[in-house]
Amino acid sequence: MEITKFSIPEIIFGRGALKYAGLCAKRLGAEKPMVVSDPGLREAGWVSTLFDVLAREGLEWCYFEDVVSNPRDTQVAHGALFYAEHKADVIIALGGGSPMDAAKGIAVVVGNGGTIHDYEGANRVHRPLPPMVFLPSTAGSGSDISQFAIITDTHRHLKMTIVSRTLVPNISIIDPNVLATKPRHLILAAAVDALAHAVESYVSVIASPFTELQSLKAIEIIGRQLPLAARDPSPEVLEALSIASTAAGMAFSNASLGADHALAHSLGGMFDVLHGEVHPVLLPSVMRYNLEATLPKMAQIGRVLTGKDLRNDRKAALAGIDRLETLFASLGMKHRLRDLVPEPSQLPDLCRMAANDACLLTNPRPATWADLLGICEEAW
Amino acid sequence: MEITKFSIPEIIFGRGALKYAGLCAKRLGAEKPMVVSDPGLREAGWVSTLFDVLAREGLEWCYFEDVVSNPRDTQVAHGALFYAEHKADVIIALGGGSPMDAAKGIAVVVGNGGTIHDYEGANRVHRPLPPMVFLPSTAGSGSDISQFAIITDTHRHLKMTIVSRTLVPNISIIDPNVLATKPRHLILAAAVDALAHAVESYVSVIASPFTELQSLKAIEIIGRQLPLAARDPSPEVLEALSIASTAAGMAFSNASLGADHALAHSLGGMFDVLHGEVHPVLLPSVMRYNLEATLPKMAQIGRVLTGKDLRNDRKAALAGIDRLETLFASLGMKHRLRDLVPEPSQLPDLCRMAANDACLLTNPRPATWADLLGICEEAW
């Protein structure tokens, strides 16, 4: 085994855990934290619940919600100015992947200067960030666990991947109750994103025993819980999905991802597609592309998804892909690429962009832009 | 599920990872780290290898090796003075559980003042510690991962358990190569300690999905690797045991332990017994005591240890205990309590002391000192 690294935040997990946000921020030195969230969470009442928690700890705060789905470089710049103007000292993010990634981008610029574009790629963030406490409102992005932030470059119309150990928040407070006010389709999209994290990190060329364990556990839980979530996202289901998303976050943060996420980032950058909607369209085709390069692991995924101890590796692997396609079809989500991309003539540009994405480096089978085009044509 | 916490250090794992010790110390602000190790590791050459690594990073250091097996309060006090006299700024521990626990004790006193006795128990360490980089030389104690330190009180002849989140080192560098110079019996004793961590944390009353996953993985690996380690501790076996010990460390640090470790701490405090030698003697009897209180989990342990899909929970659980007893007997380690305790008349005092150990709080079946005496009499 190569030398491997494994880094995760301190985790506080459980229904009601939100109440620890103030204590955690204070432990990290907060006197005036900056809260980053979005209008949806404010309207659902969670932002004011968080304010109450902070007030009980005697904290003041400043509040920032200029964040959209697929958060933008311009919003990061705005947020960094806001942090400085308000003399904030800790960043608390409450939300899905978008507010959390925006908060990370703001932290990078606050701690390191310049603009977020200066830090695109791996390990380019060298100076410390303000302390971060993250409260995820979806069970999917894993941003509260990971060393990744994805920010849209509004000039180049692409998603920049910023990866650095310092982007791991100090504390992740995962309260499955916060998920309960999310619309059903967002819960499902997030769970499918977590499933893609788990599958891609499991077959990544830099997977380790520490990440593989988490990947498989997440695949097992999400495979079982997705149909239940589609029918009735009960507190128990939301808790299970949160456990799975956290496990998948531990895995992909340390083992990275693959071709599905490389393409997903390009799709999000070019067409502003909801990130979680991309995987039912792409993941099965990517898995078929990777099949021979990592057959024993693909077979293990198949065994976990079907719950069957299939002896033949190829049959087990194919049964897993079948099971996923059936599952995705049952969720009522889009499942052809033509539902997301306006014109087939745009596919070559999409694939050329994806071929430069950092996630492609760890795909178990190398892929040129033409290989990616083949995947997209199959998924069309 | 109750609200649960999960906290581990940043981990760098792999053969040759020792070479990152200087870089890691510098990242934590080191200019003059204090290295804590012991004569055995110095004689095996690892201490001078570490010095070379530090020198290559332009670091000065001071070196402390007044540490014995079952490290003492007096040594902690001595080490804290040493740190202050040498104006050290980071603590690097290289060794098994003893140097690592001594280093934690030193860090507590350096950061918080007083003597180590002031911090006995849970969550009594309130001020920050100097940054810590730990390099374990055995695959067992898990001290490089955990929030525990065990220090012997030389007046009261007992082991103090100190538990605090701040005792989790900043970085754990796990290099299985360092294990290769250890005598066979220490490798086995450490692996058995890790196995006890895994079993006890799995059935702990505060186990969570995050810890259970790690516990079971550690049980599976150690059950398979122990016989190989007894015959030929190859680099592959040492690597596997290191993975397992790390997983068990993640589990017990966050789920705590049980009656076996409560008794083990008393035995170590009263008779200065090697910690890893205690578990083959006690663990099977403790498992039988706990059987009915946590039958489905004991059955799962049995299935993992035997590799058999036994349907009946009680049969599976008992098969697991049988498998462990056979395994322990094959290792040539002591396996009756009378081999460790000079006189049976000393058992009541031993059990009264163990009844006050923090580890007993999380045992799945409550136990009075008289219950512990029953366990000891069975193991006699």
Side-chain angles (χ1 to χ4, degrees):
Chain A
M1 195 171 104
E2 298 289 302
I3 292 173
T4 188
K5 297 179 187 182
F6 191 74
S7 174
I8 61 171
E10 182 181 341
I11 292 170
I12 302 178
F13 184 100
R15 292 182 230 166
L18 173 71
K19 68 182 172 200
Y20 294 114
L23 269 175
C24 288
K26 275 172 76 175
R27 229 180 63 203
L28 298 173
E31 293 182 2
K32 189 175 181 187
M34 169 170 168
V35 175
V36 179
S37 190
D38 67 25
L41 281 153
R42 176 168 45 73
E43 284 156 21
W46 291 111
V47 171
S48 68
T49 302
L50 175 59
F51 290 168
D52 291 344
V53 166
L54 300 180
R56 270 205 297 280
E57 294 297 331
L59 290 166
E60 287 185 65
W61 60 87
C62 53
Y63 178 61
F64 182 83
E65 68 167 30
D66 175 17
V67 178
V68 291
S69 179
N70 300 322
R72 298 172 188 165
D73 46 11
T74 49
Q75 296 174 317
V76 166
H78 177 190
L81 282 175
F82 187 93
Y83 181 99
E85 277 165 14
H86 289 80
K87 296 186 172 43
D89 45 23
V90 163
I91 296 184
I92 302 177
L94 167 66
S98 299
M100 290 194 285
D101 279 1
K104 285 183 179 181
I106 292 166
V108 168
V109 174
V110 162
N112 291 262
T115 77
I116 191 62
H117 313 83
D118 301 335
Y119 307 100
E120 187 180 359
N123 302 320
R124 299 190 56 198
V125 182
H126 297 302
R127 279 156 55 191
L129 310 194
M132 295 186 278
V133 179
F134 277 23
L135 298 115
S137 71
T138 59
S141 76
S143 180
D144 56 304
I145 304 291
S146 85
Q147 47 189 321
F148 285 68
I150 312 292
I151 303 291
T152 297
D153 181 322
T154 48
H155 279 282
R156 291 183 291 162
H157 297 287
L158 57 78
K159 283 189 162 191
M160 298 180 286
T161 299
I162 299 137
V163 196
S164 168
R165 197 192 43 78
T166 60
L167 290 190
V168 177
N170 300 68
I171 306 178
S172 170
I173 302 177
I174 303 157
D175 183 344
N177 283 349
V178 180
L179 277 61
T181 50
K182 283 274 164 186
R184 186 90 45 110
H185 78 278
L186 288 183
I187 292 174
L188 296 181
V192 169
D193 190 24
L195 181 59
H197 293 155
V199 168
E200 295 214 284
S201 60
Y202 185 62
V203 299
S204 158
V205 296
I206 59 165
S208 78
F210 304 109
T211 62
E212 287 163 353
L213 190 63
Q214 305 291 350
S215 299
L216 273 188
K217 189 70 188 176
I219 294 169
E220 180 195 328
I221 294 175
I222 300 171
R224 203 170 51 231
Q225 298 289 334
L226 254 184
L228 305 175
R231 282 202 300 277
D232 171 29
S234 67
E236 291 71 26
V237 169
L238 294 177
E239 183 176 283
L241 288 176
S242 295
I243 292 168
S245 165
T246 304
M250 293 187 201
F252 90 79
S253 177
N254 293 288
S256 196
L257 295 159
D260 166 82
H261 265 81
L263 286 164
H265 293 153
S266 294
L267 268 167
M270 283 177 73
F271 306 111
D272 207 21
V273 179
L274 181 69
H275 178 67
E277 285 192 339
V278 174
H279 311 298
V281 168
L282 288 172
L283 189 60
S285 298
V286 168
M287 289 170 80
R288 267 189 286 270
Y289 177 80
N290 288 334
L291 191 71
E292 296 298 334
T294 179
L295 193 58
K297 280 190 158 182
M298 289 291 294
Q300 195 55 30
I301 292 172
R303 291 185 190 105
V304 165
L305 281 173
T306 60
K308 290 183 189 155
D309 188 21
L310 299 161
R311 294 299 164 94
N312 180 287
D313 273 2
R314 183 164 293 98
K315 280 188 187 159
L318 291 171
I321 298 172
D322 281 352
R323 169 85 188 109
L324 275 192
E325 292 194 310
T326 311
L327 192 55
F328 291 151
S330 75
L331 299 178
M333 294 172 74
K334 293 166 186 164
H335 57 282
R336 301 309 311 171
L337 189 54
R338 60 178 171 266
D339 300 327
L340 302 177
V341 175
E343 292 292 334
S345 61
Q346 296 168 305
L347 290 180
D349 278 353
L350 180 85
C351 294
R352 282 196 192 90
M353 193 184 289
N356 291 319
D357 192 283
C359 290
L360 201 61
L361 296 173
T362 46
N363 196 65
R365 181 178 167 192
T368 62
W369 78 267
D371 294 325
L372 295 177
L373 187 60
I375 292 170
C376 288
E377 284 168 349
E378 185 190 304
W380 184 257
Chain B
M1 195 172 103
E2 299 289 304
I3 292 174
T4 190
K5 298 179 187 182
F6 191 72
S7 174
I8 61 170
E10 181 182 341
I11 292 170
I12 301 178
F13 184 100
R15 293 182 228 166
L18 174 70
K19 68 182 173 201
Y20 293 114
L23 269 176
C24 288
K26 274 172 76 177
R27 227 179 66 203
L28 298 172
E31 293 184 2
K32 189 174 180 185
M34 170 173 167
V35 175
V36 179
S37 191
D38 67 25
L41 281 152
R42 177 169 43 75
E43 285 156 22
W46 290 111
V47 171
S48 68
T49 303
L50 174 59
F51 290 168
D52 291 345
V53 166
L54 299 180
R56 270 204 297 279
E57 293 297 330
L59 290 166
E60 285 184 65
W61 60 87
C62 53
Y63 179 61
F64 182 82
E65 69 167 31
D66 176 16
V67 178
V68 292
S69 176
N70 299 320
R72 298 171 188 165
D73 46 11
T74 49
Q75 296 174 319
V76 167
H78 177 191
L81 282 176
F82 187 92
Y83 181 99
E85 277 165 13
H86 288 81
K87 299 187 171 38
D89 45 25
V90 163
I91 297 183
I92 302 177
L94 168 67
S98 299
M100 291 194 286
D101 279 3
K104 286 184 179 181
I106 291 165
V108 168
V109 174
V110 162
N112 290 261
T115 76
I116 191 64
H117 312 83
D118 300 336
Y119 307 99
E120 188 181 357
N123 302 322
R124 299 190 56 199
V125 182
H126 298 302
R127 278 156 54 192
L129 311 193
M132 294 186 278
V133 179
F134 277 23
L135 298 116
S137 69
T138 59
S141 76
S143 180
D144 57 302
I145 304 291
S146 86
Q147 47 188 321
F148 284 69
I150 312 291
I151 304 292
T152 297
D153 181 322
T154 48
H155 279 284
R156 291 184 291 162
H157 298 287
L158 57 77
K159 284 188 159 189
M160 298 180 288
T161 300
I162 300 137
V163 196
S164 169
R165 197 192 42 77
T166 61
L167 290 189
V168 177
N170 300 68
I171 305 178
S172 171
I173 302 176
I174 303 157
D175 183 343
N177 285 347
V178 181
L179 278 61
T181 51
K182 283 275 166 186
R184 186 90 45 110
H185 79 278
L186 287 183
I187 292 174
L188 297 180
V192 168
D193 190 24
L195 181 59
H197 293 155
V199 168
E200 295 215 283
S201 60
Y202 186 62
V203 298
S204 158
V205 297
I206 59 168
S208 78
F210 304 109
T211 64
E212 287 163 353
L213 190 62
Q214 305 291 350
S215 298
L216 273 187
K217 189 70 188 175
I219 293 168
E220 180 195 328
I221 294 175
I222 300 171
R224 203 170 51 229
Q225 299 289 335
L226 254 183
L228 305 176
R231 282 202 299 277
D232 171 28
S234 67
E236 290 72 27
V237 169
L238 294 177
E239 183 176 282
L241 288 176
S242 295
I243 292 167
S245 165
T246 304
M250 292 188 201
F252 90 81
S253 178
N254 293 288
S256 196
L257 295 160
D260 167 81
H261 265 81
L263 285 164
H265 293 153
S266 295
L267 267 167
M270 282 176 74
F271 305 112
D272 206 22
V273 180
L274 181 69
H275 178 67
E277 285 193 337
V278 173
H279 311 298
V281 168
L282 288 172
L283 188 60
S285 298
V286 167
M287 290 170 80
R288 267 188 287 270
Y289 177 81
N290 288 335
L291 191 72
E292 296 299 332
T294 180
L295 193 59
K297 281 192 158 183
M298 289 290 295
Q300 195 54 31
I301 292 173
R303 290 184 191 107
V304 165
L305 281 173
T306 60
K308 291 183 188 153
D309 188 21
L310 300 160
R311 294 299 164 95
N312 180 286
D313 274 0
R314 184 164 291 98
K315 279 187 187 160
L318 291 171
I321 298 173
D322 281 353
R323 169 86 187 111
L324 274 194
E325 291 194 309
T326 310
L327 192 56
F328 291 153
S330 75
L331 299 178
M333 295 172 74
K334 293 165 185 165
H335 58 280
R336 301 310 308 172
L337 188 52
R338 58 178 173 267
D339 300 328
L340 301 177
V341 176
E343 292 290 333
S345 62
Q346 295 169 306
L347 291 179
D349 278 353
L350 180 85
C351 293
R352 282 196 191 90
M353 193 184 288
N356 290 319
D357 192 283
C359 290
L360 201 61
L361 296 171
T362 45
N363 196 65
R365 180 178 166 192
T368 63
W369 78 267
D371 294 325
L372 296 177
L373 188 60
I375 292 170
C376 288
E377 285 167 347
E378 185 189 304
W380 183 256

